[in-house]
């Protein structure tokens, strides 16, 4: 029998302003995990979440993860774990999210202050972390509160696992999950993660696959200090020239990775698989809207989706040590570090990818005959994941989408990475579902990141409704 969700939905609508205020308070904490200076803010964000959950009656623990590898002066932020409800007659659902965010500076081009949630007349709520992933994490908190206020019994036991290093490769979390799988997480019947995005702006989706991510640094150094290009240009070997050459040899304009052997690691696309793409509601217009221009590599939807989900990609992210300010500084940087990453797919093995990358970059550098020195390393890696979308966990989520949005969700894969998804699956042996809240135009990781009010409020209804349907779904997959 379909659960009566009306009282819960009404309460979510009535509490909308206070839920937005909760998101405003969370966005105001600049919990940037990649920045040493912001580490105290990442800790403050852990406190904020722990307090919100404790106030609602959850049993909360902040579990330390020790020092950050390679940065012995820095403590890793804690994992906030919580239990809400302990009724052996109910199912137990483990939810994961992250409370850290990507960096954000006004000078990157934000139209509003990134850590000041700004809501416009269209209900777009701009702010770093609004969609990735503070909005969805607070969606679970809101769902608990709305049940309490509406006097509706919470349908499941909820276990929470919220981390503070996801945007930096989830340092330390794998070991924690493996250790807790038979302890704090032992009762979990299924796992749900809300940390990705719809394909478009109207239709929700359920996601059963993610790409992995191997992130690299290429350091080239030569002179002992930065030099005057008038005095030393033409006589000193310039690290930047070497680095630009190396970075330009990684990927072509069609997105094809140039590192020998990489593309051969990819599982061949089957005829059956190709047939899945035409039915997915997505158009090139959706892509143009999301990227804000028509500068796509491909002209068709199927090629675009396959490039995002099914094939690896290589992106060049930036150069540490390079002159990047406005103006015309005539400097020769003495040391530059190029950053790039490869999104990996089945059946690419992370170690094999690393070996191929290291060998190629070293070989290309040798060809230059440069007297500068090179160092290439993998900063972090996370494996790809593909699961079964036919499990009861997915069926419950599909019913919740139908109830809240009136449509059947698309079954999608995702081009981004959530490194711990596979860890949860392997450590708990349970099905993992990705249930996104935000839309394709949210601009996660970019300037002007936002979450639409509708996605946040209806998304809170969706998370609650999912828990009700999960409580009713037959166990058979
Ligand atoms: C999809 C998720 N919201 C996300 O943004 N994940 C990051 C994780 C990451 C960071 N470095 C490597 N992986 C991403 O896909 O970039
Ligand atoms: Zn995220
Ligand atoms: Zn992210």
């Amino acid at each position: 029998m379909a659960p009566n969700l009306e009282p819960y939905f009404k309460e979510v609508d009535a509490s909308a302003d206070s839920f937005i205020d909760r998101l405003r308070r969370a966005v105001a904490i600049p919990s940037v995990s990649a920045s040493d200076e912001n580490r105290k803010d990442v800790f403050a964000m852990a406190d904020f979440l722990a307090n919100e959950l404790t106030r609602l009656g959850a049993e909360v623990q902040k579990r330390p993860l020790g020092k950050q590898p390679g940065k012995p002066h820095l403590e890793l932020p804690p994992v906030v774990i919580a239990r809400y409800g302990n009724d052996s007659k109910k199912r137990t659902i483990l939810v994961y999210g992250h409370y850290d965010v990507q960096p954000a500076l006004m000078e990157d081009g934000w139209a509003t202050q990134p850590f000041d949630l700004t809501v416009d007349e269209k209900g777009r709520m701009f702010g770093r972390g609004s969609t990735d992933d503070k909005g969805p994490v607070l969606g679970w908190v809101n769902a608990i509160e709305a049940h309490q206020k509406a006097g509706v019994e919470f349908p499941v036991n909820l276990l929470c696992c919220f981390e503070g290093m996801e945007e930096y490769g989830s340092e330390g979390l794998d070991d924690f999950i493996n250790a807790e799988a038979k302890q704090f997480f032992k009762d979990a019947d299924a796992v749900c993660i809300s940390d990705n995005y719809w394909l478009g702006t109207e239709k929700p989706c359920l996601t059963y696959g993610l790409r992995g991510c191997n992130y690299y640094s290429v350091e080239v150094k030569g002179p002992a200090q930065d030099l005057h290009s008038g005095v030393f240009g033409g006589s000193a070997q310039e690290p930047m020239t070497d680095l630009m050459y190396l970075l330009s040899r990684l990927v072509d304009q069609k997105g094809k990775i140039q590192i020998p052997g990489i593309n051969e690691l990819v599982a061949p696309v089957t005829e059956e698989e190709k047939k899945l793409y035409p039915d997915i509601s997505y158009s090139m217009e959706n892509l143009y809207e999301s990227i804000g221009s028509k500068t796509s590599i491909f002209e068709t939807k199927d090629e675009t989706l396959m490039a995002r989900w099914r094939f690896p990609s290589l992106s060049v992210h930036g150069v540490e040590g390079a002159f990047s300010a406005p103006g015309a500084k005539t400097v020769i940087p003495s040391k530059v570090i190029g950053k790039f990453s490869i999104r990996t797919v089945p059946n690419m093995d992370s170690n094999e990818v690393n070996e191929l990358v290291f060998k190629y970059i070293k070989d290309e550098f040798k060809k230059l005959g440069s007297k500068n020195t090179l160092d290439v390393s993998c900063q972090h890696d996370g494996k790809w994941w593909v699961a079964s979308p036919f499990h009861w966990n997915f069926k419950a989520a599909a019913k919740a989408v139908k109830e809240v949005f009136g449509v059947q969700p698309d079954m999608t894969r995702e081009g981004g990475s959530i490194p711990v998804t596979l860890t949860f699956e392997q450590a708990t042996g349970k099905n993992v579902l990705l249930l996104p809240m935000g839309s394709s135009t949210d601009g996660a990781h970019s300037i002007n990141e936002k979450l639409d009010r509708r996605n946040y409020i209806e998304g809170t209804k969706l998370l609650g409704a999912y828990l009700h349907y999960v409580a009713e779904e037959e166990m058979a997959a």
Side-chain angles (χ1 to χ4, degrees):
M1 197 181 67
N4 176 17
L5 293 161
E6 254 340 282
Y8 168 64
F9 288 171
K10 269 198 180 140
E11 187 53 53
V12 173
D13 283 328
S15 302
D17 287 344
S18 107
F19 292 164
I20 291 168
D21 184 59
R22 178 175 275 144
L23 182 59
R24 177 171 290 111
R25 286 182 285 128
V27 166
I29 304 170
S31 49
V32 179
S33 48
S35 140
D36 295 7
E37 295 73 49
N38 287 108
R39 187 53 55 90
K40 61 180 185 329
D41 303 307
V42 188
F43 275 80
M45 186 60 208
D47 290 342
F48 172 86
L49 258 185
N51 289 340
E52 294 293 296
L53 286 161
T54 305
R55 245 181 4 91
L56 290 168
E59 294 160 37
V60 185
Q61 297 176 32
K62 284 181 285 175
R63 300 284 287 271
L65 289 179
K67 300 281 181 209
Q68 182 165 338
K71 294 192 176 182
H73 59 290
L74 267 190
E75 198 70 36
L76 287 166
V79 188
V80 177
I81 55 173
R83 170 181 272 280
Y84 183 69
N86 202 351
D87 180 343
S88 59
K89 291 189 286 307
K90 290 180 180 173
R91 268 202 181 138
T92 300
I93 299 299
L94 167 58
V95 300
Y96 159 88
H98 61 94
Y99 61 82
D100 62 320
V101 297
Q102 287 277 321
L105 298 169
M106 266 320 261
E107 54 262 40
D108 294 338
W110 280 74
T112 57
Q113 290 291 339
F115 297 105
D116 186 0
L117 192 79
T118 309
V119 187
D120 75 2
E121 65 296 342
K122 289 183 179 161
R124 296 179 299 184
M125 307 189 292
F126 294 95
R128 176 56 91 223
S130 53
T131 194
D132 184 13
D133 186 31
K134 290 180 176 177
V137 164
L138 295 184
W140 297 114
V141 178
N142 297 341
I144 295 176
E145 188 175 79
H147 275 85
Q148 290 181 358
K149 284 192 174 161
V152 176
E153 185 180 346
F154 208 69
V156 298
N157 305 311
L158 197 70
L159 295 175
C160 302
C161 177
F162 298 138
E163 71 154 319
M165 283 302 277
E166 197 270 353
E167 300 291 12
Y168 202 81
S170 292
E171 301 263 19
L173 197 66
D174 274 1
D175 291 346
F176 178 82
I177 294 169
N178 283 320
E180 293 301 329
K182 299 280 171 282
Q183 305 287 328
F184 197 83
F185 303 143
K186 71 176 188 320
D187 299 337
D189 293 305
V191 183
C192 180
I193 298 177
S194 188
D195 183 24
N196 67 305
Y197 320 98
W198 299 355
L199 260 187
T201 52
E202 290 306 315
K203 198 171 179 200
C205 60
L206 309 182
T207 305
Y208 63 94
L210 290 163
R211 293 196 289 186
C213 184
N214 284 30
Y215 199 104
Y216 299 98
S217 289
V218 190
E219 180 186 287
V220 184
K221 64 179 177 198
Q225 66 278 316
D226 290 0
L227 302 172
H228 188 304
S229 66
V231 180
F232 300 104
S235 58
Q237 293 217 304
E238 300 194 17
M240 186 74 121
T241 319
D242 294 351
L243 181 66
M244 288 298 131
Y245 172 83
L246 294 175
L247 295 181
S248 75
R249 305 281 299 152
L250 297 173
V251 61
D252 74 10
Q253 265 49 45
K254 287 280 169 207
K256 190 154 191 314
I257 298 176
Q258 301 295 295
I259 302 167
I262 291 281
N263 297 309
E264 285 68 26
L265 300 176
V266 178
V269 180
T270 63
E271 287 306 313
E272 210 177 25
E273 211 184 329
K274 278 187 199 158
K275 289 184 199 140
L276 296 173
Y277 286 84
D279 285 341
I280 293 169
S281 347
Y282 188 70
S283 70
M284 291 306 286
E285 289 310 317
N286 289 134
L287 177 75
Y288 301 148
E289 192 185 0
S290 310
I291 62 179
S293 75
K294 292 197 167 181
T295 53
S296 60
I297 291 185
F298 300 104
E299 306 306 324
T300 69
K301 158 190 144 181
D302 292 11
E303 284 173 298
T304 299
L305 287 180
M306 283 206 176
R308 171 162 158 188
W309 299 347
R310 187 54 180 79
F311 294 118
S313 62
L314 188 153
S315 303
V316 178
H317 304 294
V319 178
E320 203 177 312
F323 167 58
S324 64
K329 189 177 174 190
T330 52
V331 70
I332 297 173
S334 61
K335 178 174 108 175
V336 280
I337 309 171
K339 310 283 178 81
F340 72 93
S341 70
I342 297 180
R343 297 286 171 169
T344 58
V345 295
N347 295 319
M348 296 169 80
D349 173 76
S350 177
N351 292 330
E352 276 185 72
V353 172
N354 287 348
E355 290 310 313
L356 292 168
V357 169
F358 298 158
K359 178 174 178 344
Y360 178 68
I361 292 186
K362 285 176 187 164
D363 288 351
E364 289 298 303
F365 186 69
K366 251 189 219 136
K367 285 185 198 163
L368 288 175
S370 171
K371 288 182 184 164
N372 289 324
T373 52
L374 171 81
D375 184 34
V376 49
S377 60
C378 177
Q379 251 176 269
H380 58 252
D381 64 345
K383 210 172 175 292
W384 47 264
W385 162 82
V386 183
S388 161
F390 304 109
H391 192 270
W392 54 260
N393 198 22
F394 278 79
K395 286 189 185 140
K399 286 181 186 167
V401 168
K402 183 85 174 84
E403 172 96 30
V404 176
F405 292 94
V407 290
Q408 286 299 337
D410 272 330
M411 293 295 177
T412 65
R413 284 166 67 166
E414 175 61 84
S417 315
I418 307 172
V420 295
T421 310
L422 182 70
T423 316
F424 275 118
E425 186 181 281
Q426 292 177 336
T428 64
K430 304 296 175 183
N431 178 269
V432 185
L433 153 79
L434 299 195
L435 182 56
M437 177 183 270
S439 88
S440 63
T441 53
D442 285 355
H445 293 204
S446 338
I447 56 166
N448 305 324
E449 175 182 347
K450 58 97 177 153
L451 176 64
D452 292 340
R453 178 189 165 106
R454 169 176 182 251
N455 285 64
Y456 184 50
I457 299 306
E458 300 306 301
T460 292
K461 291 181 191 170
L462 175 65
L463 300 183
Y466 154 72
L467 297 175
H468 280 272
Y469 280 109
V470 118
E472 301 211 327
E473 200 61 38
E474 291 284 323
M475 272 282 197

